[in-house]
Amino acid sequence: MVFEKDLNLDATELRLGLPGSSEESIRISNKRALPDMNDDSGVAAAKKCDQETAPPTKAQVVGWPPIRSYRKNSLQTKKTEAETGGMYVKVSMDGAPYLRKIDLKVYKGYPELFKAMEDMFKFKVGKYSEREGYNGSEFVPTYEDKDGDWMLVGDVPWEMFINGCKRLRIVRGSEARGLGCVV
Amino acid sequence: MQKEMAYSFPDEVLKHVFSFIQSDKDRNAVSLVCKSWYEIERWCRRKVFIGNCYAVSPRMVIRRFPEVRSIELKGKPHFADFNLVPDGWGGYVLQWIAEMAGAYPWLGEIRLKRMVVTDESLELIAKSFKNFKVLVLFSCEGFSTDGLAAIAASCKNLRELDLRESEVDDLSGHWLAQFPETCTSLVSLNISCLGSDEVSFSALERLVDRCPNLRSLQLNRAVTLDKIANILRRAPQLVDFGTGNYAAELQPDVFSNLAGAFSSCKELKSLSGFWDVVPAYLPALYSICPRLTSLNLSYATIQSPDLIKLVSHCPRLQRLLVLDYVEDSGLEELASSCKDLQELRVFPSDPFGVEPNVSLTEQGLVAVSLGCPKLQSVLYFCRRMSNAALVTIAQNCPNLTRFRLCIIEPKTPDYLTLEPLDAGFGAIVEHCKDLRRLSLSGLLTDHVFEYIGTYGKKLEMLSVAFAGDSDLGLHHVLSGCESLRKLEIRDCPFGDKALLANAAKLETMRSLWMSSCAVSFGACKLLGQKMPKLNVEVIDETEPPDSRPESYPVDKLYIYRSVAGPRFDMPPFVWSMDEAVKILH
């Protein structure tokens, strides 16, 4: 929290606005993180959100609603177990020193997924066309499906994709030539 | 001991009479009658309850009550349950154990709530008290299975080991095997909070086998459904049972084995656990449902139809804990089936979701209030409420003693009229004359506090969040609620005026918590100076409060009465306003 050396009306003024309108008492939450109620600072949380790839679900107030941690954790675990597919999958990129993991359930469609992958690995997905695959980028997103085959991301409807995707790999354009990409 | 009055009863007679007086309140009253009664009483008091471990020092307790056999201590403020109290705040039990180890060799029972208990403390208990019988660690933390191993190994006549809702560093399940073969005295064992997969099940089975007096057993989530039958057949005398996981692929022989095992437990009245429920296994419980008085399904993500089926088999139910999957329809069924219901707790399945995921509204609670005339205790999470519903509930249930309503979105108004919920809660305090505990939520102005101050004469604990307009609200409560012991407030526009005007009231209460309010540092200092019998503690994790002007509000404030003076174990982010203590660390 930053305290200016003046009257700091913000700090003393209790507004009737809903939580989320004041930085001091909110933090943006990432749906996949366990609610970590020790992080009080809205500023730090906002930064953390930029680094995270998932969009914020709802601004959470610390300690509200008043539920014990073990209850929250119990529900959380259940949610993850209840999901049939599209959970955490590994994401690798050729040339990157280590893999990442993302939760496919968090995204609503391919554009969001690509944005997340672009942010995570600092690259750009090219333009997709059914005929030619990805145009205009050195890197191409591929995935391993239930049958163990490596497929181009984007060909099948989103729901089918997240239920079948076992892992993701961002390949160099040169290696993806066989998948019909123009580099 | 000296006899003050020659014509009084002999001490032995008084001691005998006093031995029938068990309640602390009565004992305290007895001790105030005269000096000789004080003396006699203090020598024969066996049980001490200390609601705030910092209100008194171990030495003082030992000095006054030299023959204690049972002690109960509470540490952190209630809002610690919701992560509002930073780690390291305090509530350490070690000093207490160390001093009692020397003074109370015959101490047999220790009950702790919200305290930090280390393995060292547990080891000290294990080796200091030869007659140790009861250890209850309710919402405690700081210890591991190593400490439990010490207790198990050393306490030859252990009767109760209850770790409910505690956080245990689960290093190994083998601690259970430390109970010696000669230990046959267990009556109650609650390990439901343990996380590990490694609870040594064979050790547990053998333990249950050799403890014929075992009445209460709560397993942890790791214990699978197929193991339940084995345990129950070894302990058909159980009165209170907590399952582990209640999920498995449906197999006829597993089912019939389970159903048979449950039906052999003729005394079973209370069930809990039920993590990961497969509904097809619920009928295995039907044989015992008619006897059930308490059912905790608050981890079970089963839907309303399955809940309705189960609950309709339990006409004697007095206590139900459930997730909001029960929905209004489930609560209506509850209202028609369970006329003995005294306590209902409905927890949210999706507390952070923006949209309601289930059809649970104020209607469910209204239905229960109508159908269950014995209802006394309510904890209800929902997403909408109306004044009309609250008035109805208040009129239907004048015997309510505990009413905690949590409307999930702060400052939600009456959904029908868009007005504040002042009138609704006002009706609750007005009609429920024995109300001892109240938690508020929704859109509330100073008016609700006027009602509370006027009618809440028996109110002992009040929890307030995102409510009120001005200091007047706080003033109504502090000046009107005669029985108030604990007040906890967060995110309300209450400042210095009400607090300072009612400073004396704070000495009649156990504690006051205020966070994200408008109390200035200057007011805290003033309070600390003027009220030596209060410990005024400011909590701020970001900056020392005196690095800012005195008019700045403090982040968190915890005030409690104490005869022990300021405590010595404060972490760097807690500042005492006591004059004798330097503010700068």
Side-chain angles (χ1 to χ4, degrees), chain B residues 287-310:
Chain B
S287 61
I288 51 164
C289 283
R291 286 190 291 271
L292 279 185
T293 55
S294 170
L295 190 52
N296 183 349
L297 293 168
S298 62
Y299 301 107
T301 52
I302 48 180
Q303 303 302 316
S304 188
D306 295 310
L307 281 164
I308 288 175
K309 253 191 279 185
L310 185 62

PDB file of all heavy atoms in Angstrom, chain B residues 287-310:
ATOM      1  N   SER B 287     -30.121 -48.019   6.844  1.00  0.00           N
ATOM      2  CA  SER B 287     -30.503 -48.744   8.057  1.00  0.00           C
ATOM      3  C   SER B 287     -30.253 -47.914   9.308  1.00  0.00           C
ATOM      4  O   SER B 287     -30.937 -48.080  10.317  1.00  0.00           O
ATOM      5  CB  SER B 287     -29.740 -50.067   8.154  1.00  0.00           C
ATOM      6  OG  SER B 287     -28.351 -49.814   8.218  1.00  0.00           O
ATOM      7  N   ILE B 288     -29.267 -47.034   9.278  1.00  0.00           N
ATOM      8  CA  ILE B 288     -28.998 -46.237  10.473  1.00  0.00           C
ATOM      9  C   ILE B 288     -29.635 -44.854  10.424  1.00  0.00           C
ATOM     10  O   ILE B 288     -29.704 -44.152  11.431  1.00  0.00           O
ATOM     11  CB  ILE B 288     -27.491 -46.059  10.737  1.00  0.00           C
ATOM     12  CG1 ILE B 288     -26.778 -45.568   9.482  1.00  0.00           C
ATOM     13  CG2 ILE B 288     -26.866 -47.326  11.246  1.00  0.00           C
ATOM     14  CD1 ILE B 288     -25.419 -45.013   9.798  1.00  0.00           C
ATOM     15  N   CYS B 289     -30.136 -44.459   9.271  1.00  0.00           N
ATOM     16  CA  CYS B 289     -30.719 -43.118   9.148  1.00  0.00           C
ATOM     17  C   CYS B 289     -31.811 -42.798  10.166  1.00  0.00           C
ATOM     18  O   CYS B 289     -31.862 -41.679  10.677  1.00  0.00           O
ATOM     19  CB  CYS B 289     -31.256 -42.891   7.728  1.00  0.00           C
ATOM     20  SG  CYS B 289     -29.947 -42.542   6.533  1.00  0.00           S
ATOM     21  N   PRO B 290     -32.686 -43.749  10.462  1.00  0.00           N
ATOM     22  CA  PRO B 290     -33.745 -43.427  11.433  1.00  0.00           C
ATOM     23  C   PRO B 290     -33.210 -43.003  12.796  1.00  0.00           C
ATOM     24  O   PRO B 290     -33.910 -42.316  13.543  1.00  0.00           O
ATOM     25  CB  PRO B 290     -34.534 -44.733  11.546  1.00  0.00           C
ATOM     26  CG  PRO B 290     -34.267 -45.452  10.278  1.00  0.00           C
ATOM     27  CD  PRO B 290     -32.873 -45.080   9.888  1.00  0.00           C
ATOM     28  N   ARG B 291     -31.968 -43.405  13.130  1.00  0.00           N
ATOM     29  CA  ARG B 291     -31.420 -43.048  14.445  1.00  0.00           C
ATOM     30  C   ARG B 291     -30.543 -41.801  14.386  1.00  0.00           C
ATOM     31  O   ARG B 291     -30.195 -41.237  15.415  1.00  0.00           O
ATOM     32  CB  ARG B 291     -30.541 -44.188  14.971  1.00  0.00           C
ATOM     33  CG  ARG B 291     -31.297 -45.387  15.451  1.00  0.00           C
ATOM     34  CD  ARG B 291     -30.346 -46.327  16.172  1.00  0.00           C
ATOM     35  NE  ARG B 291     -29.401 -46.952  15.256  1.00  0.00           N
ATOM     36  CZ  ARG B 291     -29.627 -48.096  14.611  1.00  0.00           C
ATOM     37  NH1 ARG B 291     -30.761 -48.726  14.778  1.00  0.00           N
ATOM     38  NH2 ARG B 291     -28.718 -48.603  13.794  1.00  0.00           N
ATOM     39  N   LEU B 292     -30.193 -41.356  13.182  1.00  0.00           N
ATOM     40  CA  LEU B 292     -29.223 -40.261  13.054  1.00  0.00           C
ATOM     41  C   LEU B 292     -29.747 -38.952  13.605  1.00  0.00           C
ATOM     42  O   LEU B 292     -30.847 -38.510  13.263  1.00  0.00           O
ATOM     43  CB  LEU B 292     -28.850 -40.037  11.588  1.00  0.00           C
ATOM     44  CG  LEU B 292     -27.806 -40.942  10.960  1.00  0.00           C
ATOM     45  CD1 LEU B 292     -27.499 -40.464   9.553  1.00  0.00           C
ATOM     46  CD2 LEU B 292     -26.522 -40.964  11.784  1.00  0.00           C
ATOM     47  N   THR B 293     -28.915 -38.317  14.450  1.00  0.00           N
ATOM     48  CA  THR B 293     -29.277 -36.990  14.938  1.00  0.00           C
ATOM     49  C   THR B 293     -28.368 -35.916  14.339  1.00  0.00           C
ATOM     50  O   THR B 293     -28.704 -34.743  14.347  1.00  0.00           O
ATOM     51  CB  THR B 293     -29.180 -36.910  16.479  1.00  0.00           C
ATOM     52  OG1 THR B 293     -27.860 -37.302  16.863  1.00  0.00           O
ATOM     53  CG2 THR B 293     -30.202 -37.806  17.143  1.00  0.00           C
ATOM     54  N   SER B 294     -27.209 -36.341  13.812  1.00  0.00           N
ATOM     55  CA  SER B 294     -26.296 -35.338  13.277  1.00  0.00           C
ATOM     56  C   SER B 294     -25.673 -35.842  11.986  1.00  0.00           C
ATOM     57  O   SER B 294     -25.194 -36.976  11.924  1.00  0.00           O
ATOM     58  CB  SER B 294     -25.209 -35.025  14.312  1.00  0.00           C
ATOM     59  OG  SER B 294     -24.201 -34.231  13.740  1.00  0.00           O
ATOM     60  N   LEU B 295     -25.673 -35.009  10.961  1.00  0.00           N
ATOM     61  CA  LEU B 295     -25.179 -35.406   9.651  1.00  0.00           C
ATOM     62  C   LEU B 295     -24.388 -34.252   9.046  1.00  0.00           C
ATOM     63  O   LEU B 295     -24.907 -33.166   8.833  1.00  0.00           O
ATOM     64  CB  LEU B 295     -26.382 -35.759   8.764  1.00  0.00           C
ATOM     65  CG  LEU B 295     -26.147 -36.426   7.418  1.00  0.00           C
ATOM     66  CD1 LEU B 295     -25.270 -37.658   7.562  1.00  0.00           C
ATOM     67  CD2 LEU B 295     -27.491 -36.806   6.806  1.00  0.00           C
ATOM     68  N   ASN B 296     -23.115 -34.534   8.793  1.00  0.00           N
ATOM     69  CA  ASN B 296     -22.272 -33.506   8.186  1.00  0.00           C
ATOM     70  C   ASN B 296     -21.930 -33.921   6.774  1.00  0.00           C
ATOM     71  O   ASN B 296     -21.080 -34.778   6.549  1.00  0.00           O
ATOM     72  CB  ASN B 296     -20.992 -33.301   9.015  1.00  0.00           C
ATOM     73  CG  ASN B 296     -20.119 -32.171   8.456  1.00  0.00           C
ATOM     74  OD1 ASN B 296     -20.347 -31.672   7.347  1.00  0.00           O
ATOM     75  ND2 ASN B 296     -19.114 -31.775   9.218  1.00  0.00           N
ATOM     76  N   LEU B 297     -22.619 -33.319   5.812  1.00  0.00           N
ATOM     77  CA  LEU B 297     -22.386 -33.607   4.404  1.00  0.00           C
ATOM     78  C   LEU B 297     -21.759 -32.393   3.721  1.00  0.00           C
ATOM     79  O   LEU B 297     -21.925 -32.186   2.521  1.00  0.00           O
ATOM     80  CB  LEU B 297     -23.715 -33.947   3.715  1.00  0.00           C
ATOM     81  CG  LEU B 297     -24.391 -35.238   4.153  1.00  0.00           C
ATOM     82  CD1 LEU B 297     -25.820 -35.305   3.631  1.00  0.00           C
ATOM     83  CD2 LEU B 297     -23.606 -36.442   3.633  1.00  0.00           C
ATOM     84  N   SER B 298     -21.041 -31.593   4.488  1.00  0.00           N
ATOM     85  CA  SER B 298     -20.584 -30.319   3.934  1.00  0.00           C
ATOM     86  C   SER B 298     -19.399 -30.433   2.983  1.00  0.00           C
ATOM     87  O   SER B 298     -18.943 -29.436   2.439  1.00  0.00           O
ATOM     88  CB  SER B 298     -20.255 -29.345   5.058  1.00  0.00           C
ATOM     89  OG  SER B 298     -19.205 -29.847   5.854  1.00  0.00           O
ATOM     90  N   TYR B 299     -18.911 -31.643   2.783  1.00  0.00           N
ATOM     91  CA  TYR B 299     -17.888 -31.833   1.742  1.00  0.00           C
ATOM     92  C   TYR B 299     -18.453 -32.585   0.554  1.00  0.00           C
ATOM     93  O   TYR B 299     -17.783 -32.781  -0.447  1.00  0.00           O
ATOM     94  CB  TYR B 299     -16.689 -32.606   2.292  1.00  0.00           C
ATOM     95  CG  TYR B 299     -16.045 -31.913   3.447  1.00  0.00           C
ATOM     96  CD1 TYR B 299     -16.196 -32.399   4.738  1.00  0.00           C
ATOM     97  CD2 TYR B 299     -15.307 -30.750   3.264  1.00  0.00           C
ATOM     98  CE1 TYR B 299     -15.625 -31.748   5.805  1.00  0.00           C
ATOM     99  CE2 TYR B 299     -14.739 -30.101   4.335  1.00  0.00           C
ATOM    100  CZ  TYR B 299     -14.904 -30.601   5.600  1.00  0.00           C
ATOM    101  OH  TYR B 299     -14.353 -29.956   6.667  1.00  0.00           O
ATOM    102  N   ALA B 300     -19.671 -33.051   0.677  1.00  0.00           N
ATOM    103  CA  ALA B 300     -20.238 -33.941  -0.331  1.00  0.00           C
ATOM    104  C   ALA B 300     -20.843 -33.134  -1.468  1.00  0.00           C
ATOM    105  O   ALA B 300     -21.810 -32.401  -1.282  1.00  0.00           O
ATOM    106  CB  ALA B 300     -21.294 -34.827   0.317  1.00  0.00           C
ATOM    107  N   THR B 301     -20.295 -33.304  -2.663  1.00  0.00           N
ATOM    108  CA  THR B 301     -20.815 -32.550  -3.807  1.00  0.00           C
ATOM    109  C   THR B 301     -21.929 -33.335  -4.480  1.00  0.00           C
ATOM    110  O   THR B 301     -21.907 -33.552  -5.692  1.00  0.00           O
ATOM    111  CB  THR B 301     -19.702 -32.271  -4.823  1.00  0.00           C
ATOM    112  OG1 THR B 301     -19.054 -33.517  -5.126  1.00  0.00           O
ATOM    113  CG2 THR B 301     -18.695 -31.295  -4.283  1.00  0.00           C
ATOM    114  N   ILE B 302     -22.869 -33.792  -3.699  1.00  0.00           N
ATOM    115  CA  ILE B 302     -23.997 -34.509  -4.291  1.00  0.00           C
ATOM    116  C   ILE B 302     -25.148 -33.531  -4.491  1.00  0.00           C
ATOM    117  O   ILE B 302     -25.293 -32.558  -3.776  1.00  0.00           O
ATOM    118  CB  ILE B 302     -24.446 -35.708  -3.420  1.00  0.00           C
ATOM    119  CG1 ILE B 302     -24.594 -35.293  -1.955  1.00  0.00           C
ATOM    120  CG2 ILE B 302     -23.475 -36.848  -3.565  1.00  0.00           C
ATOM    121  CD1 ILE B 302     -25.038 -36.431  -1.069  1.00  0.00           C
ATOM    122  N   GLN B 303     -25.932 -33.845  -5.486  1.00  0.00           N
ATOM    123  CA  GLN B 303     -26.971 -32.908  -5.897  1.00  0.00           C
ATOM    124  C   GLN B 303     -28.236 -33.075  -5.077  1.00  0.00           C
ATOM    125  O   GLN B 303     -28.411 -34.056  -4.356  1.00  0.00           O
ATOM    126  CB  GLN B 303     -27.284 -33.109  -7.389  1.00  0.00           C
ATOM    127  CG  GLN B 303     -26.072 -32.952  -8.283  1.00  0.00           C
ATOM    128  CD  GLN B 303     -25.414 -31.594  -8.149  1.00  0.00           C
ATOM    129  OE1 GLN B 303     -26.082 -30.562  -8.104  1.00  0.00           O
ATOM    130  NE2 GLN B 303     -24.099 -31.582  -8.040  1.00  0.00           N
ATOM    131  N   SER B 304     -29.111 -32.113  -5.264  1.00  0.00           N
ATOM    132  CA  SER B 304     -30.320 -32.040  -4.446  1.00  0.00           C
ATOM    133  C   SER B 304     -31.145 -33.322  -4.416  1.00  0.00           C
ATOM    134  O   SER B 304     -31.555 -33.754  -3.336  1.00  0.00           O
ATOM    135  CB  SER B 304     -31.161 -30.848  -4.915  1.00  0.00           C
ATOM    136  OG  SER B 304     -32.214 -30.655  -4.037  1.00  0.00           O
ATOM    137  N   PRO B 305     -31.422 -33.964  -5.545  1.00  0.00           N
ATOM    138  CA  PRO B 305     -32.261 -35.171  -5.475  1.00  0.00           C
ATOM    139  C   PRO B 305     -31.674 -36.253  -4.563  1.00  0.00           C
ATOM    140  O   PRO B 305     -32.403 -36.886  -3.797  1.00  0.00           O
ATOM    141  CB  PRO B 305     -32.298 -35.666  -6.932  1.00  0.00           C
ATOM    142  CG  PRO B 305     -31.958 -34.486  -7.749  1.00  0.00           C
ATOM    143  CD  PRO B 305     -31.053 -33.629  -6.924  1.00  0.00           C
ATOM    144  N   ASP B 306     -30.367 -36.444  -4.629  1.00  0.00           N
ATOM    145  CA  ASP B 306     -29.743 -37.454  -3.768  1.00  0.00           C
ATOM    146  C   ASP B 306     -29.787 -37.032  -2.313  1.00  0.00           C
ATOM    147  O   ASP B 306     -29.982 -37.858  -1.410  1.00  0.00           O
ATOM    148  CB  ASP B 306     -28.281 -37.683  -4.198  1.00  0.00           C
ATOM    149  CG  ASP B 306     -28.189 -38.275  -5.591  1.00  0.00           C
ATOM    150  OD1 ASP B 306     -28.881 -39.280  -5.839  1.00  0.00           O
ATOM    151  OD2 ASP B 306     -27.438 -37.709  -6.420  1.00  0.00           O
ATOM    152  N   LEU B 307     -29.603 -35.732  -2.078  1.00  0.00           N
ATOM    153  CA  LEU B 307     -29.657 -35.237  -0.699  1.00  0.00           C
ATOM    154  C   LEU B 307     -31.065 -35.407  -0.134  1.00  0.00           C
ATOM    155  O   LEU B 307     -31.237 -35.799   1.014  1.00  0.00           O
ATOM    156  CB  LEU B 307     -29.245 -33.759  -0.653  1.00  0.00           C
ATOM    157  CG  LEU B 307     -27.746 -33.496  -0.715  1.00  0.00           C
ATOM    158  CD1 LEU B 307     -27.470 -32.046  -1.054  1.00  0.00           C
ATOM    159  CD2 LEU B 307     -27.076 -33.867   0.593  1.00  0.00           C
ATOM    160  N   ILE B 308     -32.051 -35.103  -0.974  1.00  0.00           N
ATOM    161  CA  ILE B 308     -33.439 -35.207  -0.521  1.00  0.00           C
ATOM    162  C   ILE B 308     -33.748 -36.646  -0.127  1.00  0.00           C
ATOM    163  O   ILE B 308     -34.334 -36.909   0.922  1.00  0.00           O
ATOM    164  CB  ILE B 308     -34.400 -34.739  -1.635  1.00  0.00           C
ATOM    165  CG1 ILE B 308     -34.319 -33.223  -1.780  1.00  0.00           C
ATOM    166  CG2 ILE B 308     -35.830 -35.174  -1.345  1.00  0.00           C
ATOM    167  CD1 ILE B 308     -35.138 -32.669  -2.926  1.00  0.00           C
ATOM    168  N   LYS B 309     -33.304 -37.576  -0.983  1.00  0.00           N
ATOM    169  CA  LYS B 309     -33.565 -38.997  -0.692  1.00  0.00           C
ATOM    170  C   LYS B 309     -32.977 -39.388   0.650  1.00  0.00           C
ATOM    171  O   LYS B 309     -33.611 -40.066   1.454  1.00  0.00           O
ATOM    172  CB  LYS B 309     -32.947 -39.875  -1.789  1.00  0.00           C
ATOM    173  CG  LYS B 309     -33.981 -40.482  -2.724  1.00  0.00           C
ATOM    174  CD  LYS B 309     -33.375 -41.533  -3.612  1.00  0.00           C
ATOM    175  CE  LYS B 309     -32.682 -40.857  -4.756  1.00  0.00           C
ATOM    176  NZ  LYS B 309     -32.132 -41.714  -5.768  1.00  0.00           N
ATOM    177  N   LEU B 310     -31.768 -38.951   0.898  1.00  0.00           N
ATOM    178  CA  LEU B 310     -31.090 -39.335   2.134  1.00  0.00           C
ATOM    179  C   LEU B 310     -31.776 -38.709   3.347  1.00  0.00           C
ATOM    180  O   LEU B 310     -32.105 -39.390   4.323  1.00  0.00           O
ATOM    181  CB  LEU B 310     -29.620 -38.907   2.076  1.00  0.00           C
ATOM    182  CG  LEU B 310     -28.752 -39.348   3.252  1.00  0.00           C
ATOM    183  CD1 LEU B 310     -28.692 -40.860   3.341  1.00  0.00           C
ATOM    184  CD2 LEU B 310     -27.347 -38.776   3.125  1.00  0.00           C
TER     185      LEU B 310
END
